[in-house]
Amino acid sequence: MNSPREPQPDGCKPDAAPVLCRECEARHRGICGVLTHEELATFHQHAIQKSYPKGTALLSIGDVPEFHANVLQGVVKLSKTLQDGRQQIVGLQFAPDFLGRAWGEESPVSAETATEVRLCSFPRDLVERMMSTIHRLEHRVFEQVLLQLDLARDWILTLGQKAASEKVASFLLLIATHHDPIASATRQGGPTTFELPLSRGDIADFLGLKLETVSRQFSKLRELDVIRIEHSRTVTVLNRARLLELSGP
Amino acid sequence: MNSPREPQPDGCKPDAAPVLCRECEARHRGICGVLTHEELATFHQHAIQKSYPKGTALLSIGDVPEFHANVLQGVVKLSKTLQDGRQQIVGLQFAPDFLGRAWGEESPVSAETATEVRLCSFPRDLVERMMSTIHRLEHRVFEQVLLQLDLARDWILTLGQKAASEKVASFLLLIATHHDPIASATRQGGPTTFELPLSRGDIADFLGLKLETVSRQFSKLRELDVIRIEHSRTVTVLNRARLLELSGP
DNA sequence: CGTAGTTTTGAGTTTTGTCAATAACCGTGG
DNA sequence: CCACGGTTATTGACAAAACTCAAAACTACG
C-alpha cells in the first residue's frame, strides 16, 4: 500500500514516541498510527489534551473549526436541526475517532459531548499542512471518512426500515459493540454490562423516535429478559442472540 | 492546494484531450477534472463507455467490483436490504458522480440502475494504481466521498425527523435541484418540469415509507397546486417556494 | 384493443406520537 | 444522613400518522 520511498510508520516499534502518546489509543487504532516517531513528535508538540464536561458544545453548524481532534475518551454527538427545533443525531464518535472535517470548510453538523469527553486537539492549519505533506496521513483520514460513510448508510437503513423495537435493539447492540468489541465479534454468550452514553431523549433523537417510545421499548426488552436496567443508565445484555434477532438485521 | 512540484490539471486548457472526453461532464465537474491531458489519455485508453437499461443490477452487496465508473447519464440507486427483504435506498448517484468504492473491498451496498444509465468504466486496478500515484486524483475522490457523507447525513435528518409529507416534498426538491441546479440556486419562481427517475415504490424505499403513502402525498401536493403530474412520472413544480416550506427545512 | 404493471383511492388496523400524571434519580444544603 | 427541588424516566389514555389489504383507474406496450 505504501510506496517504497515512503517512510514506514513507527507505531509498532519499541518506542521513542512522545510519552503522552505511548498509551494513547489514537496512536494505535487512530490516525496517529500512520505517523513516524518524528512526525508524531511534531504533531504532539502542538497538541492539547483536555477534558470537557457532559453537554459541552464543541462546534455549531456553520462554524469554521479552529481545531481538529482525536476523541480519547467518551462519546461525541454530531447533530443536525430543522428550523422548528426538531433535532437528529447524525453520528456518534467514540475513541479513537478523528473529529473534525478534513478541510476547513464550515461544519455541516454541530458537535456536542454526550458524556464527559477527553480530546487531543490540534490546530487546524497544522493538521491540514501535515495531511497535504504526509500522504499516508491523508490516506488514513480518507479511510476513516469512508468508514463514517458506511456507518451513516447503515443508519439510514435502520431509520428508514426498522420498527421502533428494532431500532432500540440496534442501538443497544451498537453501544455494546463499542463497549466490548471482542465479546461482540466472537459472539460469546456471556452477559455484558455497560453505561449508556446517551439519555433517553438523545437516544430518541438518534433513532428518530420520541423519548416515550424509547422508554416503552426498553421496558419491553426488560420484560422479555433480554436486558436488565439499573439506575436507568446501566444496561446488562442478558441474551445477546435474542437482542440480535430483535434488531432485525 | 497543489504542491508546487505537482503538474496542474489541464481541464481548462484549449484542448488536446481525448476526443470522447471533450464533451464529458466528468472531465469538468467529475473526477477527471484533476487530470492532465496525458493522464487523461492513459485513463481513457482503458475506459469503456456503455449504456445499461433501466433495472440493471450493477453490483451486489459483498461483490468486489471489477470496475469503477463515472455516471455520465441517468440515475443509479445504492441500496441495502434487511434479511426479510425490506429495502432501503441509501443513496442516489447522478452524473458526473464517481461510482464505486475507493478501495477494492467488498461493496457495502448494492447498485442498480434506476433509469437507463450511461457509464464510463475503468478497471479497478488501474484506478487504484492511478489514485496512489496521482495524489490530486485521490484528493478529488476524497472530496467526493466527503460530499457523499454530507448528503447521507442530510438524508438521516430527513428520515429521522420529517413527516411523510415533508419527506416527499424534500424528495421533489432533490430531484428538481439535480435537474436544474441553476434555477434552484437562484430561486427563480418559474415552473420547472422534469421526469421522476424513480417509481413510486422506489421513492418509498428511498423515503422509508410505503408506496401508497407516497402516492397519497403526491395527490395532496397536486390538490394544493404545488405540483402538476402527467403520466405519473412527469412532474411540474408550480410553486417552488411553497414546496420548500412544505419540505420543513 | 387487451394485458401486465403501475398508480391511485378507500376502509380499517397498527404503530407511534401527544399530553399528562407519577415515579426514580441526583446533587445540594441542612 | 436525610429532605428537597430539579431533572430524567416510566407509565397510561387517547389521538394522529402511517401501514395493510383490497379494489379500481391509469399507463405502457405489444
Side-chain angles (χ1 to χ4, degrees):
Chain A
M1 249 314 81
N2 292 306
S3 80
R5 251 170 293 150
E6 288 254 351
Q8 293 302 307
D10 293 343
C12 317
K13 295 198 193 152
D15 239 315
V19 176
L20 273 172
C21 298
R22 279 189 211 162
E23 302 296 314
C24 176
E25 218 179 341
R27 167 117 189 293
H28 302 287
R29 301 195 294 118
I31 62 164
C32 296
V34 299
L35 300 176
T36 64
H37 286 158
E38 203 181 336
E39 290 158 353
L40 192 59
T42 312
F43 225 52
H44 177 257
Q45 226 162 11
H46 301 272
I48 300 164
Q49 286 206 16
K50 196 169 154 215
S51 281
Y52 301 82
K54 176 193 297 201
T56 309
L58 299 171
L59 197 63
S60 298
I61 293 178
D63 284 2
V64 180
E66 304 203 5
F67 293 91
H68 292 322
N70 283 317
V71 179
L72 304 184
Q73 262 176 44
V75 179
V76 175
K77 304 181 283 186
L78 304 181
S79 55
K80 290 193 162 234
T81 312
L82 296 175
Q83 280 172 3
D84 63 4
R86 282 173 284 174
Q87 192 180 57
Q88 175 69 38
I89 294 178
V90 298
L92 294 177
Q93 308 272 241
F94 302 83
D97 288 345
F98 180 66
L99 195 69
R101 259 211 98 87
W103 280 270
E105 305 140 32
E106 298 177 6
S107 173
V109 300
S110 62
E112 185 181 328
T113 58
T115 62
E116 176 168 66
V117 167
R118 185 162 190 80
L119 295 183
C120 185
S121 305
F122 315 96
R124 205 190 75 210
D125 55 354
L126 173 70
V127 175
E128 281 165 23
R129 214 152 356 116
M130 289 190 78
M131 281 217 308
S132 67
T133 315
I134 305 168
H135 194 161
R136 275 167 292 128
L137 183 61
E138 177 168 332
H139 193 85
R140 189 78 186 77
V141 175
F142 189 175
E143 284 177 340
Q144 280 227 7
V145 172
L146 234 22
L147 188 65
Q148 296 294 318
L149 180 59
D150 286 349
L151 293 173
R153 286 178 168 164
D154 276 342
W155 215 249
I156 287 178
L157 174 64
T158 297
L159 287 173
Q161 297 299 328
K162 293 187 184 176
S165 57
E166 295 170 319
K167 287 181 178 179
V168 170
S170 303
F171 172 75
L172 287 171
L173 284 171
L174 175 72
I175 301 301
T177 303
H178 263 282
H179 179 262
D180 188 354
I182 299 133
S184 304
T186 57
R187 210 151 286 152
Q188 288 169 9
T192 334
T193 300
F194 49 85
E195 290 283 298
L196 291 178
L198 302 183
S199 69
R200 298 291 185 272
D202 282 340
I203 297 171
D205 286 348
F206 189 44
L207 297 174
L209 301 169
K210 296 298 160 189
L211 87 177
E212 294 94 328
T213 305
V214 172
S215 182
R216 281 183 232 279
Q217 297 303 334
F218 271 93
S219 300
K220 212 170 278 180
L221 288 172
R222 204 177 33 198
E223 285 158 24
L224 291 171
D225 287 323
V226 174
I227 60 173
R228 190 167 17 158
I229 303 175
E230 283 148 324
H231 316 299
S232 323
R233 288 286 195 120
T234 310
V235 172
T236 304
V237 177
L238 301 170
N239 188 340
R240 186 188 293 271
R242 189 90 187 86
L243 189 59
L244 194 64
E245 284 171 33
L246 290 169
S247 77
Chain B
M1 250 315 86
N2 291 306
S3 80
R5 251 170 291 148
E6 287 256 349
Q8 294 303 306
D10 293 343
C12 318
K13 294 198 193 155
D15 238 316
V19 176
L20 273 172
C21 298
R22 280 189 210 163
E23 301 295 314
C24 176
E25 217 179 341
R27 168 115 188 293
H28 303 287
R29 302 195 293 117
I31 61 163
C32 296
V34 299
L35 299 177
T36 64
H37 286 158
E38 203 180 338
E39 290 158 354
L40 192 61
T42 312
F43 226 51
H44 177 258
Q45 226 161 12
H46 300 273
I48 300 163
Q49 285 207 15
K50 198 169 154 216
S51 281
Y52 302 82
K54 175 193 299 199
T56 309
L58 299 172
L59 197 64
S60 299
I61 293 178
D63 283 2
V64 179
E66 303 204 4
F67 294 91
H68 292 323
N70 283 317
V71 178
L72 304 183
Q73 262 175 44
V75 179
V76 175
K77 306 180 283 186
L78 305 181
S79 54
K80 291 192 161 234
T81 311
L82 296 175
Q83 281 172 3
D84 62 5
R86 283 174 283 174
Q87 193 180 55
Q88 176 69 38
I89 295 178
V90 297
L92 293 177
Q93 307 272 241
F94 302 83
D97 289 345
F98 180 66
L99 195 70
R101 258 212 99 87
W103 280 270
E105 306 139 31
E106 297 177 7
S107 173
V109 299
S110 62
E112 185 181 328
T113 59
T115 62
E116 177 168 64
V117 167
R118 186 161 188 80
L119 295 183
C120 184
S121 306
F122 314 96
R124 206 189 74 209
D125 55 354
L126 173 70
V127 175
E128 280 165 24
R129 218 154 353 121
M130 290 190 79
M131 281 216 309
S132 67
T133 315
I134 306 168
H135 194 163
R136 274 166 293 127
L137 183 60
E138 178 168 330
H139 192 87
R140 187 81 186 76
V141 175
F142 189 175
E143 284 177 340
Q144 279 228 7
V145 172
L146 234 22
L147 188 65
Q148 295 294 318
L149 180 59
D150 286 349
L151 293 173
R153 286 177 169 165
D154 276 343
W155 215 247
I156 286 179
L157 175 64
T158 298
L159 287 173
Q161 297 300 328
K162 292 187 184 174
S165 57
E166 296 171 317
K167 287 180 179 180
V168 170
S170 303
F171 172 75
L172 286 171
L173 284 171
L174 175 72
I175 302 300
T177 302
H178 263 283
H179 179 261
D180 188 353
I182 300 132
S184 303
T186 59
R187 211 153 285 152
Q188 287 170 11
T192 333
T193 301
F194 50 85
E195 290 282 299
L196 291 177
L198 272 56
S199 69
R200 297 292 185 273
D202 282 340
I203 296 171
D205 285 348
F206 189 44
L207 297 174
L209 300 169
K210 297 296 160 189
L211 86 173
E212 294 95 326
T213 305
V214 172
S215 180
R216 282 182 231 278
Q217 297 302 333
F218 270 93
S219 300
K220 213 171 278 182
L221 288 172
R222 204 177 34 197
E223 285 157 25
L224 291 171
D225 287 323
V226 175
I227 60 172
R228 192 166 14 157
I229 303 175
E230 282 148 324
H231 315 298
S232 324
R233 287 288 192 115
T234 310
V235 172
T236 304
V237 177
L238 300 169
N239 189 338
R240 188 189 291 269
R242 189 91 187 86
L243 189 58
L244 195 64
E245 285 171 33
L246 291 168
S247 76

